[in-house]
Amino acid sequence: MPSKTGSSLPDGNPSGDPDVAVVLKIVTLLRETRLQKGLTLRDLKDVMGISYAHLSRAERGLSHPGLVVLLRWCRALDLSFEEIIREALRQ
């Protein structure tokens, strides 16, 4: 899935599940925001209390983070979870 920053993630949704597609869009938006803010995954893992490996797999589309992780991710980036969901649903 191409992102606004030009990177491409592996297809973490080979079945085409629309719910998984929304999660992947949310993660892409979170990754783009992290990069815009100049933060690394190591910066986030400390704030979120989640392993580097877990965040890295999620950003690469290899795993689908649950609600708690998404909420912490938004909080760590000072984003509104509601706005991220709206943006993901618009795309």
Side-chain angles (χ1 to χ4, degrees), residues 3-61:
S3 73
K4 294 177 192 172
T5 58
S7 67
S8 180
L9 299 175
D11 186 3
N13 188 15
S15 68
D17 184 315
D19 296 329
V20 172
V22 171
V23 171
L24 292 173
K25 288 176 188 175
I26 290 169
V27 170
T28 298
L29 292 168
L30 292 170
R31 178 180 182 275
E32 290 169 353
T33 301
R34 175 183 66 77
L35 293 172
Q36 288 170 359
K37 291 186 175 207
L39 298 170
T40 66
L41 287 176
R42 294 196 192 285
D43 295 330
L44 282 188
K45 79 169 182 67
D46 293 335
V47 173
M48 294 173 60
I50 294 168
S51 75
Y52 173 89
H54 187 75
L55 287 171
S56 177
R57 283 191 306 271
E59 278 200 357
R60 291 181 287 139

Side-chain angles (χ1 to χ4, degrees), residues 57-71:
R57 283 191 306 271
E59 278 200 357
R60 291 181 287 139
L62 302 176
S63 68
H64 308 130
L67 182 59
V68 170
V69 172
L70 293 173
L71 287 167

